[in-house]
Short mmCIF file of all heavy atoms in Angstrom, two decimals:
data_model
loop_
_atom_site.label_atom_id
_atom_site.label_comp_id
_atom_site.label_asym_id
_atom_site.label_seq_id
_atom_site.Cartn_x
_atom_site.Cartn_y
_atom_site.Cartn_z
N MET A 1 85.20 99.43 102.39
CA MET A 1 85.91 98.30 101.83
C MET A 1 85.04 97.05 101.94
O MET A 1 84.52 96.73 102.98
CB MET A 1 87.25 98.11 102.55
CG MET A 1 88.03 96.90 102.06
SD MET A 1 89.60 96.59 102.93
CE MET A 1 90.50 98.05 102.55
N SER A 2 84.95 96.32 100.87
CA SER A 2 84.17 95.11 100.85
C SER A 2 84.87 94.00 101.63
O SER A 2 86.09 93.87 101.61
CB SER A 2 83.97 94.64 99.40
OG SER A 2 83.47 93.33 99.38
N GLU A 3 84.07 93.16 102.30
CA GLU A 3 84.66 92.04 103.02
C GLU A 3 85.19 90.98 102.06
O GLU A 3 85.94 90.11 102.45
CB GLU A 3 83.62 91.42 103.95
CG GLU A 3 83.27 92.32 105.12
CD GLU A 3 82.29 91.67 106.06
OE1 GLU A 3 82.15 90.43 106.02
OE2 GLU A 3 81.68 92.38 106.85
N ASP A 4 84.77 91.05 100.79
CA ASP A 4 85.22 90.08 99.80
C ASP A 4 86.52 90.50 99.15
O ASP A 4 87.07 89.76 98.35
CB ASP A 4 84.16 89.90 98.73
CG ASP A 4 82.90 89.23 99.27
OD1 ASP A 4 83.02 88.53 100.29
OD2 ASP A 4 81.85 89.40 98.67
N ARG A 5 87.01 91.67 99.46
CA ARG A 5 88.21 92.19 98.82
C ARG A 5 89.45 91.60 99.44
O ARG A 5 89.59 91.53 100.66
CB ARG A 5 88.26 93.71 98.93
CG ARG A 5 89.52 94.28 98.29
CD ARG A 5 89.51 95.75 98.29
NE ARG A 5 88.46 96.17 97.36
CZ ARG A 5 88.28 97.41 96.95
NH1 ARG A 5 89.06 98.36 97.39
NH2 ARG A 5 87.34 97.71 96.12
N VAL A 6 90.37 91.19 98.58
CA VAL A 6 91.68 90.71 99.04
C VAL A 6 92.66 91.85 98.89
O VAL A 6 92.73 92.51 97.83
CB VAL A 6 92.15 89.49 98.22
CG1 VAL A 6 93.56 89.09 98.59
CG2 VAL A 6 91.18 88.31 98.40
N THR A 7 93.42 92.09 99.94
CA THR A 7 94.43 93.13 99.92
C THR A 7 95.79 92.51 100.22
O THR A 7 95.93 91.73 101.16
CB THR A 7 94.12 94.21 100.99
OG1 THR A 7 92.83 94.76 100.72
CG2 THR A 7 95.15 95.31 100.96
N ILE A 8 96.77 92.84 99.40
CA ILE A 8 98.13 92.35 99.58
C ILE A 8 99.01 93.54 99.86
O ILE A 8 99.11 94.45 99.04
CB ILE A 8 98.63 91.58 98.35
CG1 ILE A 8 97.70 90.40 98.07
CG2 ILE A 8 100.07 91.11 98.54
CD1 ILE A 8 98.00 89.65 96.77
N THR A 9 99.64 93.53 101.02
CA THR A 9 100.46 94.66 101.45
C THR A 9 101.90 94.20 101.67
O THR A 9 102.15 93.36 102.55
CB THR A 9 99.91 95.26 102.76
OG1 THR A 9 98.55 95.60 102.58
CG2 THR A 9 100.72 96.48 103.16
N PRO A 10 102.85 94.70 100.87
CA PRO A 10 104.25 94.37 101.13
C PRO A 10 104.73 95.14 102.36
O PRO A 10 104.72 96.38 102.36
CB PRO A 10 104.97 94.81 99.86
CG PRO A 10 104.09 95.82 99.23
CD PRO A 10 102.69 95.57 99.71
N LEU A 11 105.12 94.42 103.39
CA LEU A 11 105.61 95.06 104.61
C LEU A 11 107.08 95.42 104.45
O LEU A 11 107.85 94.66 103.86
CB LEU A 11 105.40 94.14 105.81
CG LEU A 11 103.95 93.71 106.06
CD1 LEU A 11 103.86 92.82 107.30
CD2 LEU A 11 103.02 94.91 106.19
N THR A 12 107.46 96.55 104.96
CA THR A 12 108.83 97.00 104.83
C THR A 12 109.79 95.97 105.41
O THR A 12 109.66 95.56 106.56
CB THR A 12 109.02 98.36 105.53
OG1 THR A 12 108.11 99.29 104.96
CG2 THR A 12 110.44 98.86 105.38
N ASP A 13 110.73 95.53 104.58
CA ASP A 13 111.76 94.56 104.98
C ASP A 13 111.16 93.26 105.52
O ASP A 13 111.77 92.58 106.35
CB ASP A 13 112.71 95.15 106.04
CG ASP A 13 113.40 96.41 105.56
OD1 ASP A 13 113.50 96.61 104.34
OD2 ASP A 13 113.83 97.19 106.42
N GLY A 14 109.98 92.90 105.02
CA GLY A 14 109.31 91.70 105.51
C GLY A 14 108.40 91.07 104.48
O GLY A 14 108.55 91.27 103.28
N PRO A 15 107.44 90.30 104.96
CA PRO A 15 106.57 89.51 104.09
C PRO A 15 105.47 90.31 103.40
O PRO A 15 105.34 91.52 103.60
CB PRO A 15 105.94 88.51 105.07
CG PRO A 15 105.84 89.29 106.34
CD PRO A 15 107.10 90.14 106.39
N LEU A 16 104.69 89.59 102.59
CA LEU A 16 103.48 90.14 102.02
C LEU A 16 102.35 89.80 102.99
O LEU A 16 102.11 88.62 103.28
CB LEU A 16 103.17 89.52 100.66
CG LEU A 16 104.22 89.75 99.58
CD1 LEU A 16 103.84 88.95 98.33
CD2 LEU A 16 104.36 91.22 99.24
N GLU A 17 101.67 90.81 103.50
CA GLU A 17 100.51 90.57 104.34
C GLU A 17 99.29 90.48 103.44
O GLU A 17 99.04 91.39 102.66
CB GLU A 17 100.33 91.70 105.35
CG GLU A 17 99.12 91.48 106.24
CD GLU A 17 98.93 92.60 107.25
OE1 GLU A 17 99.17 93.77 106.89
OE2 GLU A 17 98.54 92.30 108.38
N VAL A 18 98.57 89.38 103.56
CA VAL A 18 97.39 89.14 102.74
C VAL A 18 96.17 89.14 103.64
O VAL A 18 96.10 88.35 104.58
CB VAL A 18 97.49 87.80 101.96
CG1 VAL A 18 96.28 87.60 101.08
CG2 VAL A 18 98.78 87.73 101.17
N THR A 19 95.23 90.02 103.35
CA THR A 19 93.98 90.05 104.13
C THR A 19 92.81 89.90 103.18
O THR A 19 92.86 90.34 102.03
CB THR A 19 93.84 91.36 104.93
OG1 THR A 19 93.89 92.46 104.03
CG2 THR A 19 94.94 91.50 105.98
N GLY A 20 91.78 89.28 103.68
CA GLY A 20 90.60 89.02 102.86
C GLY A 20 90.43 87.51 102.74
O GLY A 20 91.28 86.74 103.17
N PRO A 21 89.33 87.08 102.16
CA PRO A 21 89.08 85.64 102.07
C PRO A 21 89.95 85.01 100.99
O PRO A 21 89.70 85.17 99.80
CB PRO A 21 87.59 85.58 101.70
CG PRO A 21 87.33 86.86 100.98
CD PRO A 21 88.24 87.87 101.61
N VAL A 22 90.99 84.31 101.42
CA VAL A 22 91.91 83.70 100.46
C VAL A 22 92.11 82.21 100.76
O VAL A 22 92.00 81.77 101.91
CB VAL A 22 93.30 84.37 100.46
CG1 VAL A 22 93.20 85.81 99.99
CG2 VAL A 22 93.97 84.28 101.80
N THR A 23 92.39 81.47 99.72
CA THR A 23 92.79 80.08 99.84
C THR A 23 94.20 79.97 99.30
O THR A 23 94.48 80.37 98.17
CB THR A 23 91.85 79.15 99.03
OG1 THR A 23 90.52 79.29 99.56
CG2 THR A 23 92.30 77.70 99.12
N ILE A 24 95.10 79.45 100.13
CA ILE A 24 96.49 79.25 99.73
C ILE A 24 96.60 77.80 99.28
O ILE A 24 96.25 76.88 100.03
CB ILE A 24 97.47 79.52 100.90
CG1 ILE A 24 97.21 80.90 101.52
CG2 ILE A 24 98.90 79.37 100.43
CD1 ILE A 24 97.41 82.07 100.60
N THR A 25 97.12 77.60 98.06
CA THR A 25 97.25 76.24 97.53
C THR A 25 98.71 75.89 97.28
O THR A 25 99.54 76.78 97.02
CB THR A 25 96.47 76.06 96.22
OG1 THR A 25 96.96 76.98 95.25
CG2 THR A 25 94.98 76.30 96.43
N ALA A 26 99.01 74.61 97.34
CA ALA A 26 100.34 74.10 97.00
C ALA A 26 100.46 74.00 95.49
O ALA A 26 99.45 74.12 94.76
CB ALA A 26 100.55 72.75 97.65
N SER A 27 101.66 73.74 95.00
CA SER A 27 101.87 73.64 93.55
C SER A 27 101.10 72.48 92.93
O SER A 27 100.80 72.49 91.74
CB SER A 27 103.36 73.51 93.23
OG SER A 27 103.91 72.40 93.90
N ASP A 28 100.73 71.49 93.75
CA ASP A 28 99.94 70.36 93.23
C ASP A 28 98.44 70.63 93.30
O ASP A 28 97.64 69.77 92.96
CB ASP A 28 100.29 69.08 93.98
CG ASP A 28 99.87 69.11 95.46
OD1 ASP A 28 99.28 70.11 95.92
OD2 ASP A 28 100.16 68.12 96.15
N GLY A 29 98.08 71.84 93.74
CA GLY A 29 96.68 72.23 93.78
C GLY A 29 95.99 71.93 95.10
O GLY A 29 94.84 72.32 95.30
N SER A 30 96.65 71.23 95.99
CA SER A 30 96.03 70.92 97.27
C SER A 30 95.94 72.20 98.13
O SER A 30 96.79 73.08 98.04
CB SER A 30 96.82 69.84 98.02
OG SER A 30 98.13 70.29 98.30
N THR A 31 94.91 72.25 98.94
CA THR A 31 94.71 73.42 99.78
C THR A 31 95.60 73.35 101.01
O THR A 31 95.62 72.35 101.72
CB THR A 31 93.23 73.48 100.23
OG1 THR A 31 92.41 73.63 99.07
CG2 THR A 31 93.00 74.68 101.17
N LEU A 32 96.36 74.43 101.21
CA LEU A 32 97.19 74.54 102.40
C LEU A 32 96.41 75.22 103.51
O LEU A 32 96.53 74.85 104.69
CB LEU A 32 98.45 75.35 102.11
CG LEU A 32 99.43 74.75 101.10
CD1 LEU A 32 100.57 75.72 100.84
CD2 LEU A 32 99.95 73.41 101.60
N GLU A 33 95.63 76.24 103.14
CA GLU A 33 94.96 77.02 104.16
C GLU A 33 93.88 77.88 103.50
O GLU A 33 94.08 78.40 102.42
CB GLU A 33 95.98 77.93 104.85
CG GLU A 33 95.43 78.84 105.91
CD GLU A 33 96.48 79.77 106.50
OE1 GLU A 33 97.45 80.09 105.80
OE2 GLU A 33 96.32 80.16 107.66
N THR A 34 92.77 78.04 104.19
CA THR A 34 91.77 79.03 103.85
C THR A 34 91.69 79.97 105.04
O THR A 34 91.46 79.53 106.16
CB THR A 34 90.41 78.38 103.56
OG1 THR A 34 90.56 77.49 102.45
CG2 THR A 34 89.35 79.42 103.22
N THR A 35 91.90 81.26 104.79
CA THR A 35 92.03 82.19 105.90
C THR A 35 91.60 83.59 105.49
O THR A 35 91.39 83.87 104.30
CB THR A 35 93.49 82.21 106.40
OG1 THR A 35 93.57 83.03 107.56
CG2 THR A 35 94.44 82.73 105.33
N ASP A 36 91.51 84.46 106.46
CA ASP A 36 91.23 85.87 106.20
C ASP A 36 92.46 86.73 106.41
O ASP A 36 92.42 87.94 106.22
CB ASP A 36 90.11 86.37 107.10
CG ASP A 36 88.76 85.81 106.71
OD1 ASP A 36 88.54 85.58 105.50
OD2 ASP A 36 87.95 85.57 107.60
N ARG A 37 93.58 86.10 106.86
CA ARG A 37 94.81 86.86 107.06
C ARG A 37 96.00 85.92 107.12
O ARG A 37 95.99 84.93 107.87
CB ARG A 37 94.73 87.65 108.36
CG ARG A 37 95.85 88.67 108.53
CD ARG A 37 95.60 89.49 109.76
NE ARG A 37 96.45 90.67 109.78
CZ ARG A 37 96.67 91.41 110.85
NH1 ARG A 37 96.08 91.10 111.99
NH2 ARG A 37 97.44 92.45 110.78
N THR A 38 97.03 86.24 106.34
CA THR A 38 98.24 85.43 106.37
C THR A 38 99.42 86.28 105.90
O THR A 38 99.22 87.39 105.39
CB THR A 38 98.08 84.16 105.52
OG1 THR A 38 99.14 83.25 105.80
CG2 THR A 38 98.06 84.47 104.03
N TRP A 39 100.62 85.77 106.08
CA TRP A 39 101.83 86.48 105.69
C TRP A 39 102.66 85.54 104.81
O TRP A 39 103.02 84.44 105.26
CB TRP A 39 102.62 86.90 106.91
CG TRP A 39 101.91 87.93 107.73
CD1 TRP A 39 102.07 89.28 107.65
CD2 TRP A 39 100.91 87.72 108.73
NE1 TRP A 39 101.22 89.92 108.53
CE2 TRP A 39 100.50 88.98 109.21
CE3 TRP A 39 100.32 86.57 109.26
CZ2 TRP A 39 99.54 89.12 110.19
CZ3 TRP A 39 99.34 86.72 110.23
CH2 TRP A 39 98.97 87.99 110.69
N LEU A 40 102.96 85.98 103.60
CA LEU A 40 103.70 85.16 102.65
C LEU A 40 105.13 85.67 102.50
O LEU A 40 105.37 86.88 102.38
CB LEU A 40 103.00 85.19 101.28
CG LEU A 40 101.56 84.66 101.28
CD1 LEU A 40 100.97 84.80 99.86
CD2 LEU A 40 101.49 83.23 101.77
N CYS A 41 106.06 84.71 102.50
CA CYS A 41 107.49 85.04 102.38
C CYS A 41 107.78 85.66 101.01
O CYS A 41 107.31 85.19 99.99
CB CYS A 41 108.32 83.78 102.56
SG CYS A 41 110.09 84.03 102.35
N ARG A 42 108.57 86.70 101.01
CA ARG A 42 109.07 87.23 99.75
C ARG A 42 110.58 87.41 99.79
O ARG A 42 111.16 87.98 98.87
CB ARG A 42 108.38 88.55 99.37
CG ARG A 42 108.68 89.71 100.29
CD ARG A 42 107.98 90.94 99.73
NE ARG A 42 108.12 92.04 100.67
CZ ARG A 42 108.36 93.29 100.31
NH1 ARG A 42 108.47 93.60 99.03
NH2 ARG A 42 108.46 94.22 101.21
N CYS A 43 111.23 86.89 100.83
CA CYS A 43 112.68 87.00 100.91
C CYS A 43 113.37 85.72 100.45
O CYS A 43 114.55 85.74 100.13
CB CYS A 43 113.13 87.34 102.33
SG CYS A 43 113.06 85.94 103.48
N GLY A 44 112.65 84.60 100.46
CA GLY A 44 113.20 83.33 100.04
C GLY A 44 113.88 82.54 101.16
O GLY A 44 114.33 81.43 100.94
N ALA A 45 113.94 83.08 102.35
CA ALA A 45 114.68 82.43 103.44
C ALA A 45 113.80 81.58 104.35
O ALA A 45 114.33 80.83 105.19
CB ALA A 45 115.39 83.49 104.28
N SER A 46 112.51 81.66 104.22
CA SER A 46 111.61 80.93 105.13
C SER A 46 111.74 79.42 104.98
O SER A 46 111.86 78.90 103.87
CB SER A 46 110.15 81.33 104.86
OG SER A 46 109.29 80.55 105.68
N ALA A 47 111.73 78.72 106.11
CA ALA A 47 111.71 77.26 106.10
C ALA A 47 110.28 76.74 106.00
O ALA A 47 110.06 75.54 105.94
CB ALA A 47 112.38 76.72 107.36
N LYS A 48 109.32 77.67 106.01
CA LYS A 48 107.90 77.28 105.97
C LYS A 48 107.21 77.90 104.76
O LYS A 48 106.06 78.34 104.86
CB LYS A 48 107.20 77.71 107.26
CG LYS A 48 107.72 76.99 108.47
CD LYS A 48 106.92 77.37 109.71
CE LYS A 48 107.40 76.57 110.91
NZ LYS A 48 106.64 76.86 112.12
N LYS A 49 107.91 77.99 103.64
CA LYS A 49 107.31 78.59 102.43
C LYS A 49 106.01 77.88 102.10
O LYS A 49 105.93 76.66 102.27
CB LYS A 49 108.28 78.46 101.25
CG LYS A 49 109.55 79.27 101.42
CD LYS A 49 110.41 79.11 100.19
CE LYS A 49 111.77 79.72 100.37
NZ LYS A 49 112.68 78.86 101.14
N PRO A 50 105.01 78.57 101.67
CA PRO A 50 105.05 79.96 101.22
C PRO A 50 104.89 80.98 102.33
O PRO A 50 104.79 82.16 102.07
CB PRO A 50 103.86 80.03 100.24
CG PRO A 50 102.85 79.11 100.85
CD PRO A 50 103.68 77.97 101.43
N TYR A 51 104.87 80.51 103.58
CA TYR A 51 104.61 81.42 104.68
C TYR A 51 105.91 82.04 105.22
O TYR A 51 106.97 81.42 105.18
CB TYR A 51 103.91 80.70 105.82
CG TYR A 51 102.60 80.10 105.39
CD1 TYR A 51 102.50 78.73 105.16
CD2 TYR A 51 101.49 80.89 105.16
CE1 TYR A 51 101.31 78.16 104.73
CE2 TYR A 51 100.31 80.34 104.75
CZ TYR A 51 100.21 78.97 104.53
OH TYR A 51 99.04 78.43 104.10
N CYS A 52 105.79 83.22 105.76
CA CYS A 52 106.89 83.88 106.46
C CYS A 52 107.05 83.21 107.82
O CYS A 52 106.07 82.98 108.52
CB CYS A 52 106.56 85.37 106.63
SG CYS A 52 107.71 86.25 107.70
N ASP A 53 108.29 82.93 108.17
CA ASP A 53 108.56 82.38 109.51
C ASP A 53 109.48 83.31 110.32
O ASP A 53 110.01 82.90 111.33
CB ASP A 53 109.15 80.97 109.43
CG ASP A 53 110.55 80.96 108.84
OD1 ASP A 53 111.06 82.01 108.41
OD2 ASP A 53 111.15 79.85 108.81
N GLY A 54 109.65 84.51 109.84
CA GLY A 54 110.49 85.49 110.54
C GLY A 54 111.96 85.45 110.12
O GLY A 54 112.75 86.26 110.58
N SER A 55 112.32 84.52 109.24
CA SER A 55 113.73 84.37 108.83
C SER A 55 114.26 85.58 108.07
O SER A 55 115.48 85.74 107.94
CB SER A 55 113.90 83.12 107.96
OG SER A 55 113.65 81.95 108.71
N HIS A 56 113.37 86.42 107.56
CA HIS A 56 113.83 87.61 106.81
C HIS A 56 114.69 88.51 107.68
O HIS A 56 115.59 89.16 107.17
CB HIS A 56 112.64 88.39 106.24
CG HIS A 56 111.64 88.82 107.27
ND1 HIS A 56 110.55 88.04 107.64
CD2 HIS A 56 111.58 89.95 108.01
CE1 HIS A 56 109.86 88.69 108.57
NE2 HIS A 56 110.46 89.85 108.81
N LYS A 57 114.44 88.50 108.98
CA LYS A 57 115.25 89.34 109.89
C LYS A 57 116.68 88.84 109.95
O LYS A 57 117.63 89.62 109.80
CB LYS A 57 114.61 89.36 111.28
CG LYS A 57 113.25 90.02 111.31
CD LYS A 57 112.62 89.91 112.66
CE LYS A 57 111.19 90.43 112.62
NZ LYS A 57 110.46 90.10 113.84
N LYS A 58 116.85 87.55 110.15
CA LYS A 58 118.20 86.96 110.23
C LYS A 58 118.89 87.06 108.87
O LYS A 58 120.11 87.24 108.80
CB LYS A 58 118.11 85.50 110.67
CG LYS A 58 119.46 84.87 110.90
CD LYS A 58 119.32 83.45 111.43
CE LYS A 58 120.70 82.83 111.67
NZ LYS A 58 120.59 81.46 112.18
N ALA A 59 118.13 86.95 107.79
CA ALA A 59 118.70 87.02 106.44
C ALA A 59 119.08 88.45 106.05
O ALA A 59 119.76 88.65 105.05
CB ALA A 59 117.71 86.44 105.43
N GLY A 60 118.60 89.41 106.81
CA GLY A 60 118.91 90.79 106.51
C GLY A 60 118.16 91.32 105.29
O GLY A 60 118.65 92.21 104.57
N PHE A 61 116.97 90.76 105.05
CA PHE A 61 116.18 91.16 103.88
C PHE A 61 115.83 92.65 103.96
O PHE A 61 115.33 93.13 104.97
CB PHE A 61 114.91 90.33 103.81
CG PHE A 61 114.00 90.68 102.66
CD1 PHE A 61 114.38 90.49 101.35
CD2 PHE A 61 112.74 91.22 102.90
CE1 PHE A 61 113.56 90.81 100.30
CE2 PHE A 61 111.90 91.55 101.86
CZ PHE A 61 112.30 91.34 100.56
N ILE A 62 116.13 93.33 102.89
CA ILE A 62 115.83 94.75 102.79
C ILE A 62 114.93 94.94 101.57
O ILE A 62 115.22 94.45 100.50
CB ILE A 62 117.11 95.61 102.58
CG1 ILE A 62 118.11 95.38 103.71
CG2 ILE A 62 116.76 97.08 102.43
CD1 ILE A 62 117.67 95.89 105.05
N SER A 63 113.84 95.66 101.76
CA SER A 63 112.94 95.93 100.65
C SER A 63 112.67 97.43 100.58
O SER A 63 112.85 98.14 101.55
CB SER A 63 111.60 95.19 100.85
OG SER A 63 110.91 95.74 101.94
N THR A 64 112.24 97.80 99.44
CA THR A 64 111.79 99.17 99.25
C THR A 64 110.36 99.10 98.77
O THR A 64 110.06 98.45 97.77
CB THR A 64 112.65 99.89 98.19
OG1 THR A 64 113.99 99.87 98.62
CG2 THR A 64 112.18 101.31 98.01
N VAL A 65 109.46 99.71 99.51
CA VAL A 65 108.05 99.73 99.14
C VAL A 65 107.80 101.02 98.37
O VAL A 65 108.01 102.12 98.90
CB VAL A 65 107.15 99.64 100.39
CG1 VAL A 65 105.70 99.72 99.98
CG2 VAL A 65 107.44 98.36 101.14
N GLU A 66 107.38 100.87 97.12
CA GLU A 66 107.10 102.02 96.27
C GLU A 66 105.68 102.52 96.51
O GLU A 66 104.79 101.74 96.79
CB GLU A 66 107.26 101.62 94.79
CG GLU A 66 108.64 101.09 94.44
CD GLU A 66 109.71 102.16 94.48
OE1 GLU A 66 109.39 103.34 94.28
OE2 GLU A 66 110.87 101.81 94.73
N GLY A 67 105.51 103.79 96.34
CA GLY A 67 104.20 104.37 96.38
C GLY A 67 103.74 104.64 97.74
O GLY A 67 102.73 104.93 98.15
S1 FES B 1 109.63 87.37 104.33
FE1 FES B 1 109.69 86.54 106.31
S2 FES B 1 110.83 84.73 106.11
FE2 FES B 1 110.79 85.57 104.10
#
């Protein structure tokens, strides 16, 4: 696996785990973070969007990971 490859993994009943060299930007284009690993909310309940803050557990978020 190349170190330049970005991998996005939907975690069961949780966030999207993003690994690889990524820059997370706000809607205005400003940089929020440059990192090699982060977790992005996909349940909509996080108070720290776009990041997961663990609120998916309290919200009872259920996902099905295909494949
Ligand atoms: S996925 Fe964790 S708070 Fe939304």
